[in-house]
């Protein structure tokens, strides 16, 4: 049986990189006593496939991992809730299982299937120049948003506007649904963005470069963009089904105010 697990990554553990998180999951499976199928060859590895890497320093309500269980384990669908509890109890502080389901053999991999992600970012208002609300309006009203990016050591000017699927200020209802230490957080303007992951996806830090002129990390004389991006949280991941964007775990359609 293959299972798809969603989990949160909040607090200080956000500074742990993707590779270290993968090692944590291997140890967690052993600690929880859940038998994982192994690959074949000279260096067998647990059959676990991770979703899109979370940038180091970012938090998330929905990270994803597909796990193929040992066929001799005898696990059935009725055991999934128990497995979720075992995993949550074995994960490090700051990580917790938020959902689990059987993964059909016909489903594409997480790396291929996820087409967009939703982020909440706390962006500091620039000391001079337009405020963040005005910057959001400027991007939404633009047919073209140019950003200097680096590929293979060379700089290229890309139009990233088609990859910004939604951009707006976060409302009170959304902020009240976030983790406790985010509620009432006043350090920065709360921005909601739905960014594409297909092709060369857009990173939250790249969006900040667009919203706050002068935060371009490719320019050594510019201010560090992390002076402007105070916190960042991934709150959803989306796949496409029958031409409609749906939640990667539940299959429910995107709410129009969360992912247009």
């Amino acid at each position: 049986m293959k299972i798809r697990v969603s989990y949160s990554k909040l607090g200080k553990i956000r500074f742990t990189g993707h590779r270290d998180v993968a090692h944590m999951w291997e140890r967690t499976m052993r600690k929880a006593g859940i038998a994982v199928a192994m690959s074949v060859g000279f260096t067998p590895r647990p059959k676990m496939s991770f979703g899109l890497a979370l940038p180091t320093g970012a938090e998330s309500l929905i990270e994803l991992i597909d796990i193929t269980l040992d066929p001799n384990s005898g696990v059935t669908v009725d055991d999934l809730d128990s497995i979720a509890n075992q995993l949550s109890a074995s994960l490090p502080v700051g990580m917790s299982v938020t959902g689990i389901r059987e993964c059909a053999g016909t489903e594409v991999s997480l790396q291929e299937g996820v087409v967009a992600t939703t982020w909440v970012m706390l962006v500091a208002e620039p000391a001079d120049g337009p405020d963040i609300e005005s910057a959001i309006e400027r991007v939404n009203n633009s047919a073209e948003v140019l950003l200097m990016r680096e590929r293979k050591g060379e700089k290229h000017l890309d139009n990233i506007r088609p990859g910004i699927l939604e951009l707006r200020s976060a409302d009170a209802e959304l902020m009240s649904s976030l983790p406790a230490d985010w509620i009432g957080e006043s350090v920065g303007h709360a921005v909601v963005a739905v960014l594409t992951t297909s092709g060369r996806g857009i990173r939250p830090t790249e969006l900040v470069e667009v919203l706050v002129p002068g935060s371009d990390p490719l320019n050594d004389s510019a201010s560090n963009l992390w002076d402007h991006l105070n916190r960042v949280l991934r709150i959803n991941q989306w796949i496409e089904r029958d031409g409609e964007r749906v939640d990667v775990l539940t299959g429910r359609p995107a709410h129009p105010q969360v992912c247009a």
Side-chain angles (χ1 to χ4, degrees), residues 236-253:
N236 222 320
Q237 301 193 41
W238 308 98
I239 59 175
E240 198 167 89
R241 184 176 296 162
D242 299 326
E244 185 175 28
R245 204 171 298 125
V246 300
D247 184 281
V248 67
L249 192 73
T250 66
R252 290 195 292 265

Side-chain angles (χ1 to χ4, degrees), residues 185-201:
E185 178 70 73
S186 59
V187 184
H189 188 103
V191 177
V192 181
V194 183
L195 305 176
T196 185
T197 61
S198 57
R200 192 172 182 214

Side-chain angles (χ1 to χ4, degrees), residues 102-120:
E102 183 177 8
C103 190
T106 56
E107 292 189 54
V108 298
S109 70
L110 291 168
Q111 294 283 344
E112 296 177 359
V114 175
V115 297
T117 52
T118 303
W119 302 85
V120 177

Side-chain angles (χ1 to χ4, degrees), residues 9-26:
K9 184 183 179 188
L10 301 167
K12 292 182 180 179
I13 202 166
R14 68 183 181 272
F15 299 111
T16 304
H18 184 70
R19 188 182 297 274
D20 290 328
V21 169
H23 293 322
M24 286 178 183
W25 268 101
E26 292 183 19

Side-chain angles (χ1 to χ4, degrees), residues 119-122 133 136 166-178 182-185 189-193 235 255-258:
W119 302 85
V120 177
M121 294 171 279
L122 295 178
E133 189 65 51
I136 290 173
E166 181 184 348
L167 183 63
R168 61 182 175 86
S169 296
D171 55 33
E173 181 180 1
L174 174 59
M175 294 302 293
S176 67
S177 70
L178 299 183
W182 277 72
I183 297 175
E185 178 70 73
H189 188 103
V191 177
V192 181
I235 64 172
H255 189 284
Q257 281 197 328
V258 175

